[in-house]
mmCIF file of all heavy atoms in Angstrom:
data_model
loop_
_atom_site.group_PDB
_atom_site.id
_atom_site.type_symbol
_atom_site.label_atom_id
_atom_site.label_comp_id
_atom_site.label_asym_id
_atom_site.label_seq_id
_atom_site.Cartn_x
_atom_site.Cartn_y
_atom_site.Cartn_z
ATOM 1 N N ASN Q 16 60.941 -2.620 6.874
ATOM 2 C CA ASN Q 16 60.188 -3.053 5.659
ATOM 3 C C ASN Q 16 59.182 -4.205 5.926
ATOM 4 O O ASN Q 16 58.348 -4.409 4.958
ATOM 5 C CB ASN Q 16 61.070 -3.238 4.564
ATOM 6 C CG ASN Q 16 61.417 -1.936 3.856
ATOM 7 O OD1 ASN Q 16 60.781 -0.956 4.154
ATOM 8 N ND2 ASN Q 16 62.274 -2.003 2.798
ATOM 9 N N ARG Q 19 55.286 -1.864 6.840
ATOM 10 C CA ARG Q 19 55.221 -0.532 6.303
ATOM 11 C C ARG Q 19 54.254 -0.595 5.134
ATOM 12 O O ARG Q 19 54.270 -1.529 4.367
ATOM 13 C CB ARG Q 19 56.597 -0.214 5.762
ATOM 14 C CG ARG Q 19 56.728 1.234 5.349
ATOM 15 C CD ARG Q 19 58.015 1.543 4.552
ATOM 16 N NE ARG Q 19 59.191 1.314 5.466
ATOM 17 C CZ ARG Q 19 59.577 2.086 6.365
ATOM 18 N NH1 ARG Q 19 59.027 3.256 6.595
ATOM 19 N NH2 ARG Q 19 60.746 1.750 7.048
ATOM 20 N N LEU Q 21 53.820 -0.064 2.151
ATOM 21 C CA LEU Q 21 54.509 0.243 0.877
ATOM 22 C C LEU Q 21 53.569 0.312 -0.280
ATOM 23 O O LEU Q 21 53.758 1.034 -1.336
ATOM 24 C CB LEU Q 21 55.520 -0.881 0.513
ATOM 25 C CG LEU Q 21 56.636 -0.974 1.556
ATOM 26 C CD1 LEU Q 21 57.500 -2.244 1.344
ATOM 27 C CD2 LEU Q 21 57.620 0.239 1.446
ATOM 28 N N TRP Q 22 52.505 -0.519 -0.226
ATOM 29 C CA TRP Q 22 51.531 -0.570 -1.340
ATOM 30 C C TRP Q 22 50.199 -0.076 -0.836
ATOM 31 O O TRP Q 22 49.503 -0.509 0.109
ATOM 32 C CB TRP Q 22 51.490 -2.102 -1.726
ATOM 33 C CG TRP Q 22 50.442 -2.421 -2.759
ATOM 34 C CD1 TRP Q 22 49.374 -3.249 -2.513
ATOM 35 C CD2 TRP Q 22 50.262 -2.024 -4.091
ATOM 36 N NE1 TRP Q 22 48.560 -3.466 -3.737
ATOM 37 C CE2 TRP Q 22 49.161 -2.688 -4.696
ATOM 38 C CE3 TRP Q 22 51.017 -1.066 -4.901
ATOM 39 C CZ2 TRP Q 22 48.739 -2.393 -5.963
ATOM 40 C CZ3 TRP Q 22 50.613 -0.892 -6.088
ATOM 41 C CH2 TRP Q 22 49.511 -1.601 -6.763
ATOM 42 N N ARG Q 64 52.059 8.608 1.897
ATOM 43 C CA ARG Q 64 53.359 8.802 1.352
ATOM 44 C C ARG Q 64 54.385 9.133 2.459
ATOM 45 O O ARG Q 64 55.455 8.634 2.445
ATOM 46 C CB ARG Q 64 53.363 9.924 0.312
ATOM 47 C CG ARG Q 64 54.748 10.233 -0.384
ATOM 48 C CD ARG Q 64 55.066 9.217 -1.418
ATOM 49 N NE ARG Q 64 56.320 9.426 -1.855
ATOM 50 C CZ ARG Q 64 57.406 8.512 -1.657
ATOM 51 N NH1 ARG Q 64 57.232 7.501 -1.001
ATOM 52 N NH2 ARG Q 64 58.550 8.807 -2.272
ATOM 53 N N GLY Q 67 55.604 6.115 4.101
ATOM 54 C CA GLY Q 67 56.502 5.281 3.302
ATOM 55 C C GLY Q 67 55.888 4.594 2.213
ATOM 56 O O GLY Q 67 56.453 3.814 1.518
ATOM 57 N N VAL Q 69 54.723 3.885 -1.372
ATOM 58 C CA VAL Q 69 55.550 4.281 -2.579
ATOM 59 C C VAL Q 69 54.919 3.653 -3.814
ATOM 60 O O VAL Q 69 54.869 4.432 -4.861
ATOM 61 C CB VAL Q 69 57.000 3.921 -2.451
ATOM 62 C CG1 VAL Q 69 57.203 2.416 -2.337
ATOM 63 C CG2 VAL Q 69 57.834 4.371 -3.585
ATOM 64 N N GLN Q 70 54.230 2.530 -3.789
ATOM 65 C CA GLN Q 70 53.437 2.068 -4.901
ATOM 66 C C GLN Q 70 51.886 2.381 -4.557
ATOM 67 O O GLN Q 70 51.469 2.241 -3.486
ATOM 68 C CB GLN Q 70 53.651 0.568 -4.929
ATOM 69 C CG GLN Q 70 54.796 0.022 -5.659
ATOM 70 C CD GLN Q 70 54.915 0.219 -7.138
ATOM 71 O OE1 GLN Q 70 53.837 0.455 -7.742
ATOM 72 N NE2 GLN Q 70 56.082 0.078 -7.650
ATOM 73 N N GLY Q 95 55.829 11.709 -5.309
ATOM 74 C CA GLY Q 95 56.875 10.627 -5.596
ATOM 75 C C GLY Q 95 56.266 9.266 -5.535
ATOM 76 O O GLY Q 95 57.171 8.294 -5.569
ATOM 77 N N PHE Q 96 55.070 8.975 -5.639
ATOM 78 C CA PHE Q 96 54.485 7.675 -5.821
ATOM 79 C C PHE Q 96 54.847 7.132 -7.168
ATOM 80 O O PHE Q 96 54.939 7.888 -8.104
ATOM 81 C CB PHE Q 96 52.962 7.680 -5.613
ATOM 82 C CG PHE Q 96 52.363 7.748 -4.260
ATOM 83 C CD1 PHE Q 96 51.754 8.804 -3.745
ATOM 84 C CD2 PHE Q 96 52.407 6.622 -3.507
ATOM 85 C CE1 PHE Q 96 51.180 8.948 -2.616
ATOM 86 C CE2 PHE Q 96 51.849 6.666 -2.200
ATOM 87 C CZ PHE Q 96 51.164 7.756 -1.720
ATOM 88 N N TYR Q 97 55.029 5.768 -7.206
ATOM 89 C CA TYR Q 97 54.911 5.134 -8.491
ATOM 90 C C TYR Q 97 53.518 4.829 -8.687
ATOM 91 O O TYR Q 97 52.904 4.085 -8.030
ATOM 92 C CB TYR Q 97 55.804 3.861 -8.522
ATOM 93 C CG TYR Q 97 56.004 3.280 -9.839
ATOM 94 C CD1 TYR Q 97 57.119 3.490 -10.587
ATOM 95 C CD2 TYR Q 97 54.997 2.398 -10.282
ATOM 96 C CE1 TYR Q 97 57.235 3.020 -11.973
ATOM 97 C CE2 TYR Q 97 55.123 1.853 -11.573
ATOM 98 C CZ TYR Q 97 56.250 2.155 -12.409
ATOM 99 O OH TYR Q 97 56.402 1.663 -13.644
ATOM 100 N N ASN Q 99 50.141 3.525 -10.620
ATOM 101 C CA ASN Q 99 49.546 2.445 -11.292
ATOM 102 C C ASN Q 99 48.065 2.759 -11.506
ATOM 103 O O ASN Q 99 47.373 2.831 -10.516
ATOM 104 C CB ASN Q 99 49.736 1.164 -10.549
ATOM 105 C CG ASN Q 99 51.154 0.849 -10.247
ATOM 106 O OD1 ASN Q 99 51.928 0.291 -11.035
ATOM 107 N ND2 ASN Q 99 51.563 1.197 -9.065
ATOM 108 N N ASP Q 121 52.676 6.454 -14.223
ATOM 109 C CA ASP Q 121 53.812 5.559 -14.575
ATOM 110 C C ASP Q 121 53.447 4.354 -15.372
ATOM 111 O O ASP Q 121 54.123 3.865 -16.114
ATOM 112 C CB ASP Q 121 54.428 5.213 -13.305
ATOM 113 C CG ASP Q 121 55.168 6.247 -12.665
ATOM 114 O OD1 ASP Q 121 56.097 6.938 -13.310
ATOM 115 O OD2 ASP Q 121 54.904 6.690 -11.500
ATOM 116 N N HIS Q 122 52.131 3.813 -15.080
ATOM 117 C CA HIS Q 122 51.907 2.528 -15.619
ATOM 118 C C HIS Q 122 50.428 2.319 -15.715
ATOM 119 O O HIS Q 122 49.653 2.750 -14.819
ATOM 120 C CB HIS Q 122 52.478 1.396 -14.693
ATOM 121 C CG HIS Q 122 51.791 0.168 -14.636
ATOM 122 N ND1 HIS Q 122 51.337 -0.393 -13.466
ATOM 123 C CD2 HIS Q 122 51.463 -0.739 -15.640
ATOM 124 C CE1 HIS Q 122 50.667 -1.520 -13.758
ATOM 125 N NE2 HIS Q 122 50.741 -1.724 -15.045
ATOM 126 N N GLN Q 124 47.521 -0.806 -16.086
ATOM 127 C CA GLN Q 124 47.181 -2.273 -16.163
ATOM 128 C C GLN Q 124 45.704 -2.273 -16.757
ATOM 129 O O GLN Q 124 44.818 -1.660 -16.256
ATOM 130 C CB GLN Q 124 47.139 -2.860 -14.755
ATOM 131 C CG GLN Q 124 46.652 -4.290 -14.863
ATOM 132 C CD GLN Q 124 46.451 -4.864 -13.420
ATOM 133 O OE1 GLN Q 124 45.245 -5.342 -13.162
ATOM 134 N NE2 GLN Q 124 47.357 -5.051 -12.670
ATOM 135 N N PRO Q 160 54.735 1.493 -19.747
ATOM 136 C CA PRO Q 160 54.787 0.008 -19.471
ATOM 137 C C PRO Q 160 53.292 -0.429 -19.190
ATOM 138 O O PRO Q 160 52.549 0.326 -18.743
ATOM 139 C CB PRO Q 160 55.617 -0.188 -18.165
ATOM 140 C CG PRO Q 160 55.832 1.210 -17.541
ATOM 141 C CD PRO Q 160 55.314 2.273 -18.530
ATOM 142 N N VAL Q 162 50.722 -3.689 -18.075
ATOM 143 C CA VAL Q 162 50.412 -5.016 -17.540
ATOM 144 C C VAL Q 162 49.000 -5.401 -18.044
ATOM 145 O O VAL Q 162 48.102 -4.528 -18.114
ATOM 146 C CB VAL Q 162 50.327 -5.069 -15.988
ATOM 147 C CG1 VAL Q 162 49.828 -6.401 -15.508
ATOM 148 C CG2 VAL Q 162 51.724 -4.656 -15.397
ATOM 149 N N TYR Q 189 54.155 -7.095 -18.975
ATOM 150 C CA TYR Q 189 53.739 -8.135 -18.048
ATOM 151 C C TYR Q 189 52.403 -8.717 -18.290
ATOM 152 O O TYR Q 189 51.544 -7.921 -18.835
ATOM 153 C CB TYR Q 189 53.654 -7.501 -16.572
ATOM 154 C CG TYR Q 189 55.010 -6.784 -16.107
ATOM 155 C CD1 TYR Q 189 55.270 -5.453 -16.524
ATOM 156 C CD2 TYR Q 189 55.923 -7.457 -15.342
ATOM 157 C CE1 TYR Q 189 56.366 -4.972 -16.169
ATOM 158 C CE2 TYR Q 189 57.090 -6.843 -14.996
ATOM 159 C CZ TYR Q 189 57.392 -5.501 -15.331
ATOM 160 O OH TYR Q 189 58.551 -4.883 -14.927
ATOM 161 N N GLU Q 191 49.606 -10.901 -16.254
ATOM 162 C CA GLU Q 191 49.046 -11.644 -14.952
ATOM 163 C C GLU Q 191 47.956 -12.600 -15.268
ATOM 164 O O GLU Q 191 46.964 -12.061 -15.755
ATOM 165 C CB GLU Q 191 48.737 -10.482 -13.969
ATOM 166 C CG GLU Q 191 48.486 -11.062 -12.635
ATOM 167 C CD GLU Q 191 48.173 -10.007 -11.561
ATOM 168 O OE1 GLU Q 191 48.601 -8.780 -11.711
ATOM 169 O OE2 GLU Q 191 47.509 -10.353 -10.647
ATOM 170 N N SER M 257 63.838 1.218 -19.051
ATOM 171 C CA SER M 257 62.391 1.203 -18.885
ATOM 172 C C SER M 257 61.994 -0.237 -18.592
ATOM 173 O O SER M 257 62.578 -1.213 -19.008
ATOM 174 C CB SER M 257 61.713 1.622 -20.189
ATOM 175 O OG SER M 257 60.434 1.390 -20.130
ATOM 176 N N PRO M 258 61.065 -0.575 -17.625
ATOM 177 C CA PRO M 258 60.169 0.444 -17.018
ATOM 178 C C PRO M 258 60.684 0.798 -15.534
ATOM 179 O O PRO M 258 59.939 1.210 -14.793
ATOM 180 C CB PRO M 258 58.924 -0.519 -16.810
ATOM 181 C CG PRO M 258 59.367 -1.799 -16.533
ATOM 182 C CD PRO M 258 60.676 -1.880 -17.347
ATOM 183 N N TYR M 259 61.834 0.598 -15.204
ATOM 184 C CA TYR M 259 62.360 0.873 -13.865
ATOM 185 C C TYR M 259 62.544 2.346 -13.609
ATOM 186 O O TYR M 259 62.916 3.182 -14.535
ATOM 187 C CB TYR M 259 63.655 0.065 -13.697
ATOM 188 C CG TYR M 259 63.492 -1.347 -13.732
ATOM 189 C CD1 TYR M 259 63.785 -2.146 -14.747
ATOM 190 C CD2 TYR M 259 62.963 -1.999 -12.595
ATOM 191 C CE1 TYR M 259 63.633 -3.409 -14.799
ATOM 192 C CE2 TYR M 259 62.807 -3.315 -12.577
ATOM 193 C CZ TYR M 259 63.095 -4.100 -13.645
ATOM 194 O OH TYR M 259 62.843 -5.473 -13.726
ATOM 195 N N ARG M 260 62.327 2.719 -12.373
ATOM 196 C CA ARG M 260 62.543 4.034 -11.952
ATOM 197 C C ARG M 260 63.432 4.015 -10.615
ATOM 198 O O ARG M 260 62.943 3.306 -9.701
ATOM 199 C CB ARG M 260 61.306 4.797 -11.607
ATOM 200 C CG ARG M 260 61.471 6.299 -11.346
ATOM 201 C CD ARG M 260 60.218 7.117 -11.417
ATOM 202 N NE ARG M 260 59.675 7.277 -10.047
ATOM 203 C CZ ARG M 260 58.324 7.507 -9.831
ATOM 204 N NH1 ARG M 260 57.455 7.549 -10.771
ATOM 205 N NH2 ARG M 260 57.944 7.691 -8.676
ATOM 206 N N GLN M 262 64.884 5.657 -7.277
ATOM 207 C CA GLN M 262 64.352 6.727 -6.464
ATOM 208 C C GLN M 262 64.962 6.547 -5.042
ATOM 209 O O GLN M 262 64.996 5.421 -4.507
ATOM 210 C CB GLN M 262 62.828 6.684 -6.447
ATOM 211 C CG GLN M 262 62.167 7.628 -5.593
ATOM 212 C CD GLN M 262 60.569 7.726 -5.969
ATOM 213 O OE1 GLN M 262 60.236 7.831 -7.112
ATOM 214 N NE2 GLN M 262 59.784 7.695 -4.905
ATOM 215 N N TRP M 263 65.326 7.612 -4.410
ATOM 216 C CA TRP M 263 65.698 7.603 -3.005
ATOM 217 C C TRP M 263 64.447 7.706 -2.045
ATOM 218 O O TRP M 263 63.478 8.337 -2.272
ATOM 219 C CB TRP M 263 66.601 8.780 -2.534
ATOM 220 C CG TRP M 263 66.833 8.835 -1.133
ATOM 221 C CD1 TRP M 263 66.259 9.592 -0.228
ATOM 222 C CD2 TRP M 263 67.725 8.044 -0.493
ATOM 223 N NE1 TRP M 263 66.689 9.396 1.099
ATOM 224 C CE2 TRP M 263 67.616 8.313 0.878
ATOM 225 C CE3 TRP M 263 68.732 6.990 -0.809
ATOM 226 C CZ2 TRP M 263 68.443 7.779 1.937
ATOM 227 C CZ3 TRP M 263 69.476 6.419 0.181
ATOM 228 C CH2 TRP M 263 69.340 6.859 1.554
ATOM 229 N N GLU M 264 64.358 6.716 -1.115
ATOM 230 C CA GLU M 264 63.182 6.720 -0.204
ATOM 231 C C GLU M 264 63.648 6.873 1.144
ATOM 232 O O GLU M 264 64.345 6.040 1.798
ATOM 233 C CB GLU M 264 62.503 5.346 -0.241
ATOM 234 C CG GLU M 264 61.625 5.041 -1.518
ATOM 235 C CD GLU M 264 60.360 5.972 -1.487
ATOM 236 O OE1 GLU M 264 59.524 5.776 -0.648
ATOM 237 O OE2 GLU M 264 60.353 6.923 -2.281
ATOM 238 N N ALA M 266 61.925 6.939 3.882
ATOM 239 C CA ALA M 266 61.395 6.052 4.872
ATOM 240 C C ALA M 266 62.124 4.753 4.957
ATOM 241 O O ALA M 266 62.020 4.171 5.954
ATOM 242 C CB ALA M 266 59.886 5.780 4.454
ATOM 243 N N GLN M 267 62.757 4.355 3.863
ATOM 244 C CA GLN M 267 63.530 3.119 3.919
ATOM 245 C C GLN M 267 65.043 3.347 4.068
ATOM 246 O O GLN M 267 65.808 2.379 4.092
ATOM 247 C CB GLN M 267 63.254 2.360 2.633
ATOM 248 C CG GLN M 267 61.778 1.962 2.541
ATOM 249 C CD GLN M 267 61.508 1.152 1.214
ATOM 250 O OE1 GLN M 267 62.134 0.159 1.005
ATOM 251 N NE2 GLN M 267 60.651 1.747 0.388
ATOM 252 N N VAL M 271 65.516 2.786 -4.092
ATOM 253 C CA VAL M 271 64.672 1.648 -4.527
ATOM 254 C C VAL M 271 64.530 1.643 -6.032
ATOM 255 O O VAL M 271 64.692 2.883 -6.669
ATOM 256 C CB VAL M 271 63.278 1.696 -3.901
ATOM 257 C CG1 VAL M 271 63.331 1.600 -2.457
ATOM 258 C CG2 VAL M 271 62.480 2.938 -4.281
ATOM 259 N N LEU M 272 64.320 0.492 -6.732
ATOM 260 C CA LEU M 272 63.870 0.521 -8.161
ATOM 261 C C LEU M 272 62.391 0.164 -8.178
ATOM 262 O O LEU M 272 61.919 -0.758 -7.561
ATOM 263 C CB LEU M 272 64.652 -0.567 -8.805
ATOM 264 C CG LEU M 272 66.054 -0.313 -9.348
ATOM 265 C CD1 LEU M 272 66.665 -1.546 -9.808
ATOM 266 C CD2 LEU M 272 66.118 0.767 -10.378
ATOM 267 N N LEU M 273 61.732 1.071 -8.756
ATOM 268 C CA LEU M 273 60.197 0.822 -8.912
ATOM 269 C C LEU M 273 59.883 0.456 -10.248
ATOM 270 O O LEU M 273 60.516 0.876 -11.263
ATOM 271 C CB LEU M 273 59.509 2.220 -8.549
ATOM 272 C CG LEU M 273 59.874 2.765 -7.139
ATOM 273 C CD1 LEU M 273 59.389 4.274 -7.025
ATOM 274 C CD2 LEU M 273 59.146 1.900 -6.105
ATOM 275 N N TYR M 274 58.936 -0.441 -10.397
ATOM 276 C CA TYR M 274 58.309 -0.863 -11.671
ATOM 277 C C TYR M 274 56.885 -1.268 -11.478
ATOM 278 O O TYR M 274 56.415 -1.095 -10.297
ATOM 279 C CB TYR M 274 59.223 -2.001 -12.112
ATOM 280 C CG TYR M 274 59.258 -3.153 -11.324
ATOM 281 C CD1 TYR M 274 58.395 -4.299 -11.473
ATOM 282 C CD2 TYR M 274 60.164 -3.286 -10.225
ATOM 283 C CE1 TYR M 274 58.511 -5.361 -10.627
ATOM 284 C CE2 TYR M 274 60.259 -4.342 -9.318
ATOM 285 C CZ TYR M 274 59.451 -5.429 -9.521
ATOM 286 O OH TYR M 274 59.437 -6.525 -8.666
ATOM 287 N N PRO M 275 56.113 -1.557 -12.518
ATOM 288 C CA PRO M 275 54.673 -1.722 -12.346
ATOM 289 C C PRO M 275 54.396 -2.620 -11.106
ATOM 290 O O PRO M 275 54.761 -3.840 -11.221
ATOM 291 C CB PRO M 275 54.218 -2.277 -13.617
ATOM 292 C CG PRO M 275 55.245 -1.682 -14.605
ATOM 293 C CD PRO M 275 56.575 -1.630 -13.963
ATOM 294 N N GLU M 276 53.804 -2.127 -10.184
ATOM 295 C CA GLU M 276 53.263 -2.885 -9.056
ATOM 296 C C GLU M 276 54.397 -3.638 -8.276
ATOM 297 O O GLU M 276 54.119 -4.568 -7.527
ATOM 298 C CB GLU M 276 52.117 -3.845 -9.524
ATOM 299 C CG GLU M 276 50.980 -3.050 -10.001
ATOM 300 C CD GLU M 276 49.978 -3.971 -10.877
ATOM 301 O OE1 GLU M 276 49.719 -5.124 -10.402
ATOM 302 O OE2 GLU M 276 49.493 -3.586 -11.848
ATOM 303 N N GLY M 277 55.603 -3.103 -8.331
ATOM 304 C CA GLY M 277 56.719 -3.825 -7.640
ATOM 305 C C GLY M 277 57.893 -2.845 -7.183
ATOM 306 O O GLY M 277 57.834 -1.669 -7.765
ATOM 307 N N MET M 278 58.634 -3.404 -6.371
ATOM 308 C CA MET M 278 59.822 -2.589 -5.938
ATOM 309 C C MET M 278 61.033 -3.438 -5.512
ATOM 310 O O MET M 278 60.731 -4.528 -4.935
ATOM 311 C CB MET M 278 59.303 -1.784 -4.728
ATOM 312 C CG MET M 278 60.504 -0.950 -4.050
ATOM 313 S SD MET M 278 59.786 -0.180 -2.644
ATOM 314 C CE MET M 278 59.889 -1.442 -1.450
ATOM 315 N N THR M 280 64.265 -3.017 -3.142
ATOM 316 C CA THR M 280 65.015 -2.139 -2.228
ATOM 317 C C THR M 280 66.491 -2.503 -2.366
ATOM 318 O O THR M 280 66.906 -3.666 -2.348
ATOM 319 C CB THR M 280 64.652 -2.432 -0.871
ATOM 320 O OG1 THR M 280 63.146 -2.117 -0.670
ATOM 321 C CG2 THR M 280 65.378 -1.482 0.111
ATOM 322 N N ARG M 328 69.516 -8.316 -15.247
ATOM 323 C CA ARG M 328 68.189 -8.256 -14.690
ATOM 324 C C ARG M 328 67.299 -7.173 -15.523
ATOM 325 O O ARG M 328 66.182 -7.039 -15.061
ATOM 326 C CB ARG M 328 68.197 -7.887 -13.190
ATOM 327 C CG ARG M 328 68.748 -9.046 -12.456
ATOM 328 C CD ARG M 328 68.736 -8.842 -10.993
ATOM 329 N NE ARG M 328 69.229 -9.958 -10.277
ATOM 330 C CZ ARG M 328 69.526 -9.894 -8.982
ATOM 331 N NH1 ARG M 328 69.345 -8.999 -8.288
ATOM 332 N NH2 ARG M 328 70.050 -11.055 -8.380
#
Side-chain angles (χ1 to χ4, degrees):
Chain Q
N16 272 359
R19 187 190 300 285
L21 297 170
W22 174 240
R64 183 74 186 112
V69 63
Q70 284 283 348
F96 278 108
Y97 190 94
N99 305 272
D121 291 298
H122 150 240
Q124 177 192 117
V162 175
Y189 301 84
E191 190 176 329
Chain M
S257 172
Y259 293 98
R260 185 167 103 202
Q262 180 167 308
W263 174 260
E264 281 293 290
Q267 299 178 56
V271 298
L272 277 173
L273 300 165
Y274 57 96
E276 298 165 42
M278 178 183 78
T280 300
R328 290 188 182 169

